[in-house]
Amino acid sequence: MRRTRVPVIVSAAGVLLASLLVATGGAAPAGARVPARAPVASAARGDAPTRATGAYVLTATHRGKRYAPTFTGNGYLGVRVPPAGQGYAGGTVPAQSEIAGFYAKPPKDVQQRANLPTWSTLGFRAGRDAYSLHRGKITGRRQQLDLHDGVITTTLRWRAPNGRVTDLAYQVFTDRSRAHIATVRLTFTPHWTGNAAVTDRIDGRPATLTRPHSRGWSTRQHEIWESVRTEGTRIVAGLSSRLSLAGAASPVRTHRVVPSDKQSIGQRLGLRVQAGHTYRVTKYVGIATSNESTHPVRFARRQSADAEHIGFAGLHREDRAAWGRLWAGHIDVLGNPELATQVNASEFYLWSSTRAGVDWSISPAGLSSNGYDGHIFWDAETWMHPSLLAQHPELAAAMDAYRYQRLGAARRHARATGYRGARFPWESALDGTEQIPPPVSVNSEGLYEMHITADIALAQWQYYLASGDRQWLRRRGWPVLAGAARFWASKAVRGKNGSYHINHVTGPDEENPDVNDEAYTNVAAARTLRIATAAARLLGRRAPASWAKIAAGLVLLYDPAKHIHPEFRGYRGQMVKQADVTMLQYPWQRKMPATVAQHDLNYYVPRSDPGGPSMSDAINMIDTASLGSPGCASYVYTERSILPFMRDVFDQFSETRTGGAFTFMTGIGGFLQEFLYGYSGLRINAHSVAVDPSMNRQLRGVVLHRLQWRGRQFTIAIGDSRTRVSLDSGPAMPVDVRGHRRVLTQAGPLIIRTRRPDTTPTRDVVRCAPARASSAQRGAIALAAVDGSPATDWQPSSVPARLRVPLNRPHTISHATVLWGRAWPPAPKPNVPPPPKPVRTLRPAAYQLLASTNGHRWRVIARMHTTSKRTTDRLTFAPVRARYVELRITKARKSAPHPMLEELTVTH
């Protein structure tokens, strides 16, 4: 993804921090996460059943830096709800409204997704005073997102400046069952008698890149409607709103509201209220664009009328049932309530941005914002598609349909740039043409980042492998695969001795652009050619012989001295932006010796830009779990993949540690893949599924519900020692378990031993012990210092600092190795690669190693004071009996105020 023009930014501190809120019903404790109606999951047979402890109702109750407005969506409509519970609010994370496919084309600019007018506005007046969080006094605020149905509820007590006290409750949701319908309900109880008013508004102020088209009122039906048209593309969006009042004791007076902003429209209901009575005003919204209807306003009005006829309760039942069908295929994390809740929230946000039966894909921020202009990148196929495919292939199919529908543009793009076949653009929007914004001196990815064509081919093939739908493959998948293969065949250049090379490309590591023989790109291109050849064979077509020849000859560089794959020809060991070479193992499944794969991880992970995006550690986790690397690094990678990026009480991802796109669906997709493909070892193949589960002591288990493969539904329940694979429906299913084919039927589950890399025998007495630290940078947790991996690290947030490790039993110890981390210089500016030097060693000026038999009385067994730049200290001391070991950093260097401890080992 490119480096600039991200409209929505999350600050390192946390985001827009406005007032906090509330919820109807139930008095959860402040800041509570309510596991309401959470599914129950059991670990594998032989392990104790465990209730899934993750919350499904997320709550914010007070002002603070960990608040950012959350959003809800139905895959077609998305809306971010501000602290007030309705309407528009600006700020670092503006509360805007989005709709799939609503792209504009401003003059001399690229296509960009335009914001809709805000449709959720439903204001309240007590006499002459209008409700606002900034007028009068607010008490008892609570805002909740219910993940079961996507309803955002805000409740509070408002004392108006005139002294009148009113209890207010707002509920907002987009209907999962009916794509074009959204609902806002205001329930209020005045503690006074007099005149009140409710103002329904479609607010055009935040609508971007649009112009007013039409608007109208019907006071008899309490209805307003309008349409806006996008710049350049001339897509029309129609919006309609109808109001319904319950509990009123006096006639309602309806007035038109004619804002000066011609993209806005409103109506006001005036009524006489009595103290202690409860009133409900429901706003039924219909929305459509000319992408789906030739008469979007007419269509929208019909939708809002239908919604009013069904009523709030009926719509909510349908909405909840539709969400319930999605939640049937979900992930349970056992034994870690916080992590389980983060998984629940991540699934909800990703599902909120797509739906079945459409041909729109998911941008990096989905329908939560128009971050990255709402463009579609490799993020969709590589990071989000696999997370949907395993349990909801119908949602993944929508993303594949988006590419198929724009195949013609990809073919024209290939021809225009001198190649054959289909070359998909780096940034796609409405019509599938390249939409990366200028200047090329900053955003060169459109020229060189061609691996996206391979990423799309892999996603298309993965869908076929999971569905087995040969008719789909013939009609839709094959044209994409064949076009991608023809492109790579025309891009590859023949070298000496039958080798092939791909020059002038940028891999996922965008900090090193325009290189030759880039590892990820070459491997992805070769796999694309093999995939297309396999698809041709399945369909009875003849693939060109050159495809297999080029695939076999494409170079993958190897450094025998370092036992690694250099990222590209001429790579000098400098910093990389994100996972690149490490992705050869997953998702590309490049065969290589396990020792080489481990060396790639250990080499590139420390060199990854700490300011890079959140997905890299998802790959590191899956690779580590697949390799069975001794220790507990796979769990550390899970924590690293989420802790620095989870910014608010509603568990929303930011793109990087310091900001970027929000809510970041790309990071969510990578995070969910850790559970679907990492801990389970699940791989989808043409003739079977492969399962190779592993677990660490930090979790009790993972349960993957309603996995789908070729007409079967099955469940994988990973426990501490055993894993149960159960066939829930469908015919017998072949399952490969560590090289052995087994057959799963509904007659009984398969019981598989769960691998436990954290229990691999070792002389290191501190490996994977429950380490604790006095402080830690986000994601640089204490366990990383003893997880068995030299690639992960503990980094204190202040010095002095200490790392304490309890041993499983008393040991006599006499040796220790302390491995300190390093920092590589960043890229000086866009399109200029990072220099390989100077490399700083992040070690302290002084530290001590201590031992204790009881955790109270400590004995210093080694001291280190040095100005050395070496990374490894090998300590030898007189044998001492210990039940606890502690490393104390007593003094930091000016060049390394936050020392980085990569690994501590202690032996007999």
Side-chain angles (χ1 to χ4, degrees):
M1 290 162 56
R2 60 190 148 95
R3 307 172 180 85
T4 59
R5 288 189 51 169
V6 185
V8 179
I9 303 294
V10 184
S11 70
V15 204
L16 166 68
L17 312 174
S19 325
L20 288 208
L21 308 115
V22 231
T24 5
R33 294 158 177 258
V34 186
R37 300 175 295 279
V40 175
S42 296
R45 186 180 300 169
D47 296 331
T50 309
R51 180 173 294 272
T53 53
Y56 284 77
V57 178
L58 310 183
T59 304
T61 57
H62 58 275
R63 192 186 305 267
K65 65 181 182 180
R66 276 189 48 78
Y67 173 82
T70 189
F71 88 101
T72 188
N74 65 9
Y76 177 69
L77 302 172
V79 61
R80 200 177 285 280
V81 176
Q86 48 77 42
Y88 168 70
T92 310
V93 181
Q96 296 169 327
S97 302
E98 308 290 338
I99 187 168
F102 194 52
Y103 289 102
K105 173 67 170 67
K108 299 181 180 180
D109 209 337
V110 296
Q111 296 170 9
Q112 303 166 45
R113 193 168 66 209
N115 291 323
L116 280 176
T118 295
W119 47 261
S120 66
T121 306
L122 194 60
F124 176 78
R125 284 180 178 271
R128 294 180 177 273
D129 288 338
Y131 158 63
S132 167
L133 293 181
H134 309 293
R135 299 192 64 203
K137 182 179 180 182
I138 303 292
T139 55
R141 289 181 295 191
R142 183 180 299 273
Q143 189 172 60
Q144 292 185 324
L145 167 61
D146 190 336
L147 303 178
H148 288 110
D149 52 23
V151 177
I152 298 175
T153 303
T154 308
T155 59
L156 53 89
R157 173 166 287 186
W158 175 52
R159 179 182 292 275
N162 59 22
R164 293 177 172 179
V165 175
T166 310
D167 294 330
L168 301 173
Y170 284 100
Q171 293 170 285
V172 179
F173 70 93
T174 56
D175 196 325
R176 187 80 207 186
S177 178
R178 298 169 181 263
H180 299 273
I181 288 175
T183 306
V184 183
R185 168 167 278 190
L186 166 62
T187 302
F188 65 94
T189 304
H191 297 276
W192 48 274
T193 298
N195 293 324
V198 175
T199 302
D200 170 21
R201 184 182 177 108
I202 298 173
D203 187 351
R205 293 174 302 161
T208 58
L209 308 177
T210 58
R211 296 288 181 266
H213 187 243
S214 68
R215 59 181 176 179
W217 295 260
S218 172
T219 55
R220 182 176 61 84
Q221 296 175 321
H222 308 307
E223 182 187 12
I224 56 175
W225 62 87
E226 75 163 16
S227 62
V228 295
R229 176 178 284 160
T230 57
E231 295 181 18
T233 58
R234 299 180 66 81
I235 300 171
V236 175
L239 301 92
S240 171
S241 173
R242 284 178 173 243
L243 290 187
S244 172
L245 176 66
S250 62
V252 174
R253 299 182 301 278
T254 305
H255 305 278
R256 292 184 178 186
V257 176
V258 188
S260 58
D261 171 19
K262 294 184 179 177
Q263 288 198 134
S264 300
I265 190 171
Q267 60 180 330
R268 181 174 295 124
L269 304 185
L271 59 153
R272 182 80 177 169
V273 299
Q274 295 186 8
H277 287 220
T278 297
Y279 305 86
R280 289 189 300 275
V281 179
T282 306
K283 175 174 180 172
Y284 300 101
V285 180
I287 305 175
T289 75
S290 53
N291 287 328
E292 304 87 37
S293 172
T294 54
H295 302 285
V297 171
R298 189 184 306 167
F299 185 90
R301 293 187 64 189
R302 203 161 50 239
Q303 293 294 308
S304 61
D306 288 348
E308 183 180 32
H309 177 74
I310 297 167
F312 183 88
L315 291 173
H316 184 233
R317 277 194 303 271
E318 292 181 354
D319 170 68
R320 195 174 184 86
W323 274 106
R325 288 188 287 274
L326 284 176
W327 281 111
H330 71 282
I331 302 167
D332 275 325
V333 174
L334 311 179
N336 188 323
E338 182 177 11
L339 186 62
T341 299
Q342 291 163 342
V343 168
N344 296 342
S346 295
E347 290 182 294
F348 170 83
Y349 292 132
L350 183 58
W351 298 342
S352 293
S353 290
T354 189
R355 61 188 299 115
V358 300
D359 62 356
W360 298 112
S361 191
I362 311 177
S363 60
L367 293 176
S368 74
S369 77
N370 58 9
Y372 282 106
D373 298 328
H375 289 177
I376 311 301
F377 296 75
W378 77 311
D379 304 49
E381 279 75 20
T382 301
W383 302 103
M384 301 178 228
H385 185 276
S387 295
L388 297 170
L389 181 64
Q391 292 165 308
H392 299 287
E394 71 282 2
L395 301 183
M399 306 171 77
D400 295 323
Y402 173 84
R403 298 298 189 180
Y404 170 75
Q405 294 292 351
R406 289 152 185 81
L407 180 57
R411 289 169 174 155
R412 291 189 291 274
H413 186 37
R415 287 196 301 271
T417 52
Y419 304 107
R420 295 188 294 275
R423 177 187 175 185
F424 286 90
W426 180 240
E427 298 194 31
S428 180
L430 179 64
D431 57 10
T433 56
E434 179 61 78
Q435 295 298 321
I436 191 166
V440 73
S441 60
V442 174
N443 299 318
S444 68
E445 294 87 347
L447 291 180
Y448 304 120
E449 201 153 355
M450 303 178 190
H451 66 80
I452 188 170
T453 296
D455 302 322
I456 291 167
L458 180 61
Q460 301 271 327
W461 183 240
Q462 287 171 332
Y463 178 78
Y464 166 71
L465 292 179
S467 68
D469 187 343
R470 195 167 296 193
Q471 187 66 15
W472 174 90
L473 181 64
R474 186 182 307 278
R475 290 188 300 107
R476 289 175 169 258
W478 168 252
V480 176
L481 295 175
R486 292 186 185 106
F487 167 73
W488 289 118
S490 68
K491 175 66 178 171
V493 177
R494 183 177 172 82
K496 296 179 181 179
N497 303 320
S499 63
Y500 283 85
H501 307 267
I502 296 178
N503 300 325
H504 298 296
V505 293
T506 299
D509 174 19
E510 294 163 339
E511 290 176 2
N512 289 282
D514 189 13
V515 298
N516 299 334
D517 284 329
E518 204 277 327
Y520 180 100
T521 303
N522 280 17
V523 167
R527 180 77 188 280
T528 300
L529 290 162
R530 293 188 178 103
I531 284 171
T533 300
R537 188 164 51 248
L538 279 167
L539 299 174
R541 296 174 180 267
R542 179 174 296 178
S546 60
W547 290 1
K549 183 179 180 181
I550 294 169
L554 273 168
V555 168
L556 176 59
L557 302 173
Y558 179 69
D559 184 336
K562 294 185 175 70
H563 306 289
I564 65 160
H565 294 105
E567 188 178 272
F568 52 85
R569 193 171 297 281
Y571 176 70
R572 297 185 295 161
Q574 64 262 37
M575 179 183 285
V576 300
K577 178 181 179 180
Q578 58 185 315
D580 190 302
V581 171
T582 53
M583 295 182 76
L584 305 187
Q585 302 170 58
Y586 177 88
W588 291 104
Q589 300 186 51
R590 171 78 180 199
K591 292 182 179 179
M592 65 182 77
T595 53
V596 174
Q598 189 67 59
H599 278 115
D600 279 345
L601 270 173
N602 294 345
Y603 185 85
Y604 285 105
V605 171
R607 287 171 168 77
S608 297
D609 187 348
S614 63
M615 309 91 68
S616 294
D617 279 320
I619 295 297
N620 301 334
M621 182 274 157
I622 297 170
D623 285 350
T624 298
S626 177
L627 289 167
S629 307
C632 46
S634 58
Y635 177 78
V636 170
Y637 282 126
T638 293
E639 292 290 317
R640 282 170 44 128
S641 73
I642 194 165
L643 287 178
F645 309 102
M646 193 64 73
R647 290 297 181 192
D648 76 319
V649 293
F650 292 114
D651 284 342
Q652 300 178 86
F653 262 84
S654 64
E655 181 180 6
T656 70
R657 288 168 168 82
T658 57
F662 186 83
T663 303
F664 192 46
M665 302 300 157
T666 311
I668 284 173
F671 173 59
L672 295 177
Q673 287 187 58
E674 297 176 42
F675 302 92
L676 292 165
Y677 305 101
Y679 290 108
S680 71
L682 176 67
R683 299 292 184 271
I684 305 297
N685 302 314
H687 304 294
S688 65
V689 298
V691 179
D692 187 12
S694 63
M695 188 50 58
N696 295 309
R697 64 183 291 180
Q698 291 77 20
L699 294 177
R700 287 296 310 277
V702 172
V703 184
L704 308 177
H705 296 274
R706 210 188 72 168
L707 295 161
Q708 299 195 48
W709 181 76
R710 301 196 169 202
R712 288 89 161 175
Q713 293 186 3
F714 62 105
T715 298
I716 300 177
I718 309 165
D720 290 340
S721 59
R722 284 183 280 183
T723 293
R724 184 175 65 244
V725 183
S726 306
L727 183 61
D728 305 319
S729 67
M733 186 172 90
V735 178
D736 293 334
V737 182
R738 297 164 191 151
H740 299 282
R741 175 69 53 86
R742 301 170 71 176
V743 177
L744 176 64
T745 70
Q746 295 185 52
L750 296 180
I751 304 299
I752 304 169
R753 180 180 59 84
T754 302
R755 287 189 294 104
R756 291 293 302 272
D758 58 332
T759 61
T760 302
T762 176
R763 292 182 61 243
D764 179 8
V765 298
V766 299
R767 180 187 287 174
C768 294
R772 296 290 183 268
S774 56
S775 67
Q777 301 280 6
R778 287 179 66 87
I781 61 176
L783 183 63
V786 295
D787 64 351
S789 170
T792 58
D793 56 81
W794 164 62
Q795 196 169 19
S797 54
S798 61
V799 172
R802 66 178 183 273
L803 176 84
R804 182 175 295 183
V805 189
L807 311 184
N808 61 347
R809 59 181 176 82
H811 289 272
T812 299
I813 58 176
S814 58
H815 297 83
T817 301
V818 185
L819 179 64
W820 299 103
R822 293 180 292 173
W824 280 262
K829 61 181 180 179
N831 292 315
V832 177
K837 297 179 180 179
V839 179
R840 290 185 294 123
T841 301
L842 302 180
R843 61 175 298 142
Y847 69 90
Q848 303 172 344
L849 190 68
L850 302 91
S852 172
T853 57
N854 58 15
H856 301 290
R857 299 180 62 183
W858 292 88
R859 174 183 175 184
V860 177
I861 56 177
R863 287 187 174 90
M864 181 65 68
H865 298 266
T866 180
T867 59
S868 169
K869 295 182 180 180
R870 68 174 181 263
T871 59
T872 304
D873 297 331
R874 291 182 171 84
L875 311 177
T876 301
F877 41 86
V880 60
R881 196 73 171 162
R883 178 66 175 81
Y884 299 87
V885 172
E886 184 170 289
L887 187 144
R888 293 180 184 173
I889 299 174
T890 56
K891 185 178 180 181
R893 297 182 175 188
K894 288 184 179 180
S895 61
H898 303 292
M900 179 185 290
L901 176 59
E902 288 190 336
E903 195 69 11
L904 169 67
T905 61
V906 180
T907 58
H908 305 289

Coordinates of all heavy atoms in Angstrom, one line a residue, residues 659-688:
G659 N -0.6 5.3 13.7 CA -1.7 5.8 13.0 C -2.1 5.0 11.8 O -2.0 3.8 11.8
G660 N -2.5 5.7 10.7 CA -2.8 5.1 9.5 C -4.3 4.8 9.4 O -5.1 5.4 10.1
A661 N -4.7 3.9 8.5 CA -6.1 3.6 8.2 C -6.8 3.1 9.5 O -6.2 2.3 10.2 CB -6.2 2.7 7.0
F662 N -8.1 3.4 9.6 CA -8.8 3.0 10.8 C -10.3 3.0 10.4 O -10.8 3.9 9.8 CB -8.6 4.1 11.9 CG -9.2 3.7 13.2 CD1 -8.5 2.9 14.1 CD2 -10.4 4.3 13.6 CE1 -9.1 2.6 15.4 CE2 -11.0 4.0 14.8 CZ -10.3 3.2 15.7
T663 N -11.0 1.9 10.6 CA -10.6 0.6 11.3 C -9.9 -0.2 10.2 O -10.5 -0.4 9.1 CB -11.9 0.0 11.8 OG1 -12.5 0.9 12.7 CG2 -11.6 -1.4 12.4
F664 N -8.8 -0.8 10.5 CA -7.9 -1.4 9.5 C -8.3 -2.9 9.3 O -7.8 -3.8 10.0 CB -6.4 -1.3 10.0 CG -5.4 -1.6 8.9 CD1 -5.5 -1.1 7.6 CD2 -4.3 -2.4 9.2 CE1 -4.6 -1.4 6.7 CE2 -3.4 -2.7 8.3 CZ -3.5 -2.2 7.0
M665 N -9.1 -3.1 8.2 CA -9.5 -4.5 7.9 C -8.4 -5.4 7.4 O -8.5 -6.6 7.6 CB -10.6 -4.4 6.8 CG -11.8 -3.5 7.1 SD -12.7 -4.1 8.5 CE -13.5 -2.6 9.0
T666 N -7.3 -4.8 6.9 CA -6.2 -5.6 6.5 C -5.6 -6.3 7.7 O -5.3 -7.5 7.6 CB -5.2 -4.7 5.7 OG1 -5.9 -3.9 4.8 CG2 -4.1 -5.6 5.1
G667 N -5.3 -5.5 8.7 CA -4.8 -6.1 9.9 C -5.7 -7.1 10.6 O -5.2 -8.1 11.1
I668 N -7.0 -6.8 10.5 CA -8.0 -7.8 11.0 C -7.9 -9.1 10.3 O -7.9 -10.2 10.9 CB -9.4 -7.2 10.9 CG1 -9.6 -6.1 12.0 CG2 -10.5 -8.2 11.0 CD1 -10.9 -5.3 11.9
G669 N -7.8 -9.0 9.0 CA -7.7 -10.2 8.2 C -6.5 -11.1 8.5 O -6.6 -12.3 8.7
G670 N -5.3 -10.4 8.7 CA -4.1 -11.2 9.1 C -4.3 -11.8 10.4 O -3.9 -12.9 10.7
F671 N -4.8 -11.0 11.4 CA -5.0 -11.5 12.7 C -5.9 -12.7 12.8 O -5.5 -13.7 13.4 CB -5.6 -10.4 13.6 CG -6.0 -10.7 15.0 CD1 -5.1 -11.2 15.9 CD2 -7.3 -10.5 15.4 CE1 -5.5 -11.5 17.2 CE2 -7.7 -10.8 16.7 CZ -6.8 -11.3 17.6
L672 N -7.0 -12.7 12.1 CA -7.9 -13.9 12.1 C -7.3 -15.1 11.4 O -7.5 -16.2 11.8 CB -9.2 -13.5 11.4 CG -10.0 -12.5 12.1 CD1 -11.3 -12.1 11.3 CD2 -10.4 -12.9 13.5
Q673 N -6.4 -14.9 10.4 CA -5.7 -16.0 9.8 C -4.8 -16.8 10.8 O -4.6 -18.0 10.6 CB -4.9 -15.6 8.6 CG -5.7 -15.2 7.4 CD -4.9 -14.9 6.2 OE1 -4.1 -15.7 5.7 NE2 -5.0 -13.7 5.7
E674 N -4.3 -16.2 11.8 CA -3.5 -16.9 12.8 C -4.3 -18.0 13.5 O -3.7 -19.1 13.8 CB -3.1 -15.9 13.9 CG -2.2 -14.8 13.4 CD -1.8 -13.8 14.4 OE1 -1.5 -14.2 15.6 OE2 -1.9 -12.5 14.2
F675 N -5.6 -17.8 13.7 CA -6.4 -18.9 14.3 C -6.9 -19.9 13.3 O -6.9 -21.1 13.6 CB -7.5 -18.2 15.1 CG -7.1 -17.2 16.1 CD1 -6.9 -15.9 15.8 CD2 -6.7 -17.6 17.4 CE1 -6.4 -15.0 16.7 CE2 -6.2 -16.7 18.3 CZ -6.1 -15.4 18.0
L676 N -7.3 -19.4 12.1 CA -7.8 -20.3 11.1 C -6.7 -21.2 10.5 O -7.0 -22.3 10.2 CB -8.5 -19.4 10.0 CG -9.8 -18.7 10.4 CD1 -10.1 -17.6 9.4 CD2 -10.9 -19.7 10.6
Y677 N -5.5 -20.6 10.3 CA -4.5 -21.4 9.6 C -3.2 -21.6 10.4 O -2.4 -22.4 10.0 CB -4.1 -20.7 8.3 CG -5.3 -20.4 7.4 CD1 -6.0 -19.2 7.3 CD2 -5.9 -21.5 6.6 CE1 -7.1 -19.0 6.5 CE2 -7.0 -21.2 5.8 CZ -7.6 -20.0 5.8 OH -8.7 -19.8 5.0
G678 N -3.1 -20.8 11.5 CA -1.9 -20.9 12.3 C -2.0 -22.0 13.3 O -1.3 -23.1 13.2
Y679 N -2.8 -21.8 14.4 CA -2.9 -22.8 15.4 C -3.5 -24.1 14.9 O -3.2 -25.1 15.4 CB -3.8 -22.2 16.6 CG -3.1 -21.1 17.3 CD1 -3.5 -19.8 17.2 CD2 -2.1 -21.4 18.2 CE1 -2.9 -18.7 17.9 CE2 -1.4 -20.3 18.9 CZ -1.9 -19.0 18.7 OH -1.2 -18.0 19.4
S680 N -4.3 -24.0 13.9 CA -4.9 -25.3 13.4 C -4.1 -26.0 12.4 O -4.2 -27.2 12.2 CB -6.3 -24.9 12.7 OG -6.1 -24.3 11.5
G681 N -3.2 -25.2 11.7 CA -2.4 -25.8 10.6 C -3.3 -26.2 9.4 O -2.9 -27.0 8.6
L682 N -4.5 -25.6 9.4 CA -5.4 -25.9 8.3 C -4.9 -25.4 6.9 O -4.4 -24.3 6.8 CB -6.8 -25.2 8.6 CG -7.9 -25.3 7.5 CD1 -8.3 -26.8 7.4 CD2 -9.0 -24.4 7.8
R683 N -4.9 -26.3 5.9 CA -4.6 -26.0 4.6 C -5.7 -26.6 3.7 O -6.1 -27.8 3.9 CB -3.2 -26.5 4.1 CG -2.1 -25.9 5.0 CD -1.9 -24.4 4.7 NE -0.7 -23.9 5.5 CZ -0.7 -23.5 6.7 NH1 -1.9 -23.4 7.4 NH2 0.4 -23.0 7.3
I684 N -6.2 -25.8 2.7 CA -7.2 -26.3 1.8 C -6.6 -26.8 0.6 O -5.9 -26.0 -0.1 CB -8.2 -25.1 1.5 CG1 -8.8 -24.5 2.8 CG2 -9.3 -25.6 0.6 CD1 -9.6 -25.5 3.6
N685 N -6.8 -28.0 0.2 CA -6.3 -28.6 -1.0 C -7.4 -29.1 -1.9 O -8.6 -29.1 -1.5 CB -5.4 -29.8 -0.6 CG -4.2 -29.3 0.3 OD1 -3.6 -28.3 0.1 ND2 -4.0 -30.1 1.4
A686 N -7.0 -29.6 -3.1 CA -8.0 -30.0 -4.1 C -8.7 -31.3 -3.7 O -9.9 -31.5 -3.9 CB -7.3 -30.2 -5.4
H687 N -8.0 -32.2 -3.0 CA -8.5 -33.5 -2.7 C -8.7 -33.8 -1.2 O -9.2 -34.9 -0.9 CB -7.7 -34.6 -3.4 CG -7.5 -34.4 -4.9 ND1 -8.5 -34.5 -5.8 CD2 -6.4 -34.1 -5.6 CE1 -8.1 -34.3 -7.0 NE2 -6.8 -34.0 -6.9
S688 N -8.3 -32.8 -0.4 CA -8.4 -33.0 1.0 C -8.2 -31.7 1.7 O -7.8 -30.7 1.1 CB -7.3 -34.1 1.5 OG -6.0 -33.5 1.3

